[in-house]
Amino acid sequence: MSEPLVVQALGKRCPLPVIMLAKLAAGQPAGTRIEVLADDPAAAVDIPAWCRMRGHTFVATEADRHTVELR
């Protein structure tokens, strides 16, 4: 497995972490992992919700690191 792509959204407030995630995810192949570094508490809710709406897999949250796998 290759290294995940990273969205650096620390210090950004809702909705910017999800917007940045969506922009990076566009055009990426299935199986791509993306880690979103976000310290906005809303990201812990918004990122899994974005995954559900887009059909991607929300893998995990560890502190301010949210991991997504594209489908």
Side-chain angles (χ1 to χ4, degrees):
M1 178 181 287
S2 62
E3 290 294 313
L5 301 175
V6 176
V7 172
Q8 175 52 269
L10 293 170
K12 308 283 189 212
R13 296 292 167 225
C14 178
L16 287 177
V18 171
I19 290 170
M20 294 168 72
L21 168 60
K23 184 176 179 179
L24 181 60
Q28 297 296 329
T32 299
R33 281 202 175 204
I34 300 175
E35 289 185 354
V36 182
L37 306 179
D39 51 3
D40 180 0
V45 175
D46 293 346
I47 293 171
W50 179 85
C51 289
R52 283 190 303 276
M53 291 188 310
R54 300 290 181 216
H56 301 306
T57 301
F58 180 75
V59 177
T61 292
E62 294 179 29
D64 294 336
R65 182 179 306 264
H66 313 278
T67 306
V68 172
E69 184 171 312
L70 302 182
R71 295 285 170 200

